[in-house]
């Protein structure tokens, strides 16, 4: 049985193998989806749902719904309590409390079912993960019945992927800019053939696309309450709508969405300028971490041979502009 690769992401996860001619191939789920939302719903009698079914169930009972558990993997003394519907400082000592590793194991268990006889795996982790996060990831694999042969830093995995694309040739000092759903990393590495030496990484495990979604939700809320004079709750449905608007704004100047609140539906328009203004503080932090990474590695922008983009949020035009303006060259998409 071949070794399986797993991307255990904050918002989405995927599992892959090597096909008969040596190319990586993502294994689809039973629902024929290539990616699985990293969402968990713990039902009655510990009935576990993962993915889209978890998101749908979470709209009915929020207390039993857990998302973005990856952000909690470095916290060793917290558990998710389904009686209160939140993270608390405690031990996992009964059927209502679950550690981050246990919840991640549910996601890994779902991915494991995408194939047959899956045992030996390699799992990606953020470069800015500390030892606790790495240890919790290995624990999650063990709980899920997987043998984690190795953890591989996400930027290293990205470089290996780009280097193996047809016609690709990577060498010299490479910068990997990884802005995903829940975490951000910028990494500088020296690449010679298949040898990759990570020089330095900077990042934030609590900065990503879901923060941008919440900013759009806040705009929905403000505009709805101003127009209807009644409060609007931010729930899973609204967050899903916000993510859709964010994606549209990557290609268009304006996006519209009908928000169904307590005082009836309201069509709300969000402009790209409004969106960029709402996430300006996050963009400033990203720029600061990018500068710190360059300074710490003593790298001048002229030293960088290639800029590689990883993560869905790098599709935001303002993010690409930030990179291009700062480094003086466009990244490879």
């Amino acid at each position: 049985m071949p070794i399986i690769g797993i991307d255990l992401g904050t918002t989405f996860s995927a599992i892959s193998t090597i096909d008969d001619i040596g190319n990586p191939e993502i294994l689809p789920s039973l629902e024929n989806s290539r990616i699985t939302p990293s969402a968990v719903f713990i039902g009655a009698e510990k009935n576990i749902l993962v993915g889209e079914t978890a998101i749908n169930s979470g709209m009915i009972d929020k207390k039993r719904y857990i998302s973005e558990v990856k952000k909690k993997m470095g916290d060793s003394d917290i558990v998710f309590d389904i009686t209160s519907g939140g993270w608390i400082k405690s031990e996992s000592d009964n059927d209502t409390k679950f550690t981050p590793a246990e919840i991640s194991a549910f996601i890994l268990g779902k991915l494991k079912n995408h194939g047959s006889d899956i045992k030996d795996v390699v799992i990606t982790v953020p470069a800015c993960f500390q030892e606790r996060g790495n240890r919790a990831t290995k624990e999650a694999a063990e709980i899920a019945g997987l043998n984690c042969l190795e953890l591989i830093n996400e930027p290293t995995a990205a470089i290996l992927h780009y280097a193996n694309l047809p016609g690709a040739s990577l060498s010299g000092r490479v910068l990997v800019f990884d802005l995903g759903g829940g975490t951000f990393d910028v990494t500088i590495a020296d690449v010679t053939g298949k040898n990759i030496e990570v020089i330095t990484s900077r990042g934030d495990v609590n900065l990503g696309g879901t923060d941008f979604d919440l900013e759009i939700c806040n705009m929905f809320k403000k505009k709805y309450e101003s127009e209807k004079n009644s409060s609007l709750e931010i729930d899973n449905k609204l967050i899903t709508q916000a993510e859709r608007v964010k994606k549209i704004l990557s290609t268009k100047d304006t996006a519209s969405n009908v928000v169904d609140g307590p005082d009836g539906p309201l069509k709300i328009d969000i402009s790209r300028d409004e969106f960029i203004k709402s996430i300006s503080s996050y963009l400033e932090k990203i720029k600061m971490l990018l500068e710190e990474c360059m300074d710490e590695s003593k790298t001048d922008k002229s030293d960088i041979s290639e800029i590689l983009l990883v993560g869905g949020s790098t599709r935001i035009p303002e993010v690409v502009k930030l990179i291009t303006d700062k480094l003086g060259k466009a990244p490879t998409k």
Side-chain angles (χ1 to χ4, degrees), residues 33-97:
S33 174
R34 285 162 54 85
I35 57 174
T36 298
S38 303
V40 174
F41 183 86
I42 303 174
E45 298 181 7
K46 207 177 177 181
N47 178 36
I48 307 299
L49 300 176
V50 176
E52 291 290 348
T53 55
I55 293 173
N56 293 335
S57 297
M59 294 179 183
I60 300 169
D61 187 350
K62 293 189 297 184
K63 287 186 176 180
R64 293 176 173 268
Y65 174 76
I66 310 133
S67 63
E68 301 183 32
V69 65
K70 187 173 178 176
K71 292 184 176 182
K72 305 295 183 181
M73 291 294 274
D75 297 328
S76 60
D77 58 347
I78 65 167
V79 295
F80 190 90
D81 181 17
I82 59 174
T83 57
S84 63
W87 294 97
I88 61 173
K89 287 190 176 295
S90 180
E91 295 180 359
S92 180
D93 57 0
N94 57 45
D95 290 338
T96 68
K97 298 183 179 70

Side-chain angles (χ1 to χ4, degrees), residues 34 51 75 94 162 181 184 223 271 282 333:
R34 285 162 54 85
D75 297 328
N94 57 45
Y162 273 96
F184 169 67
K223 291 189 177 191
S271 71
Y282 296 109
K333 297 183 180 180

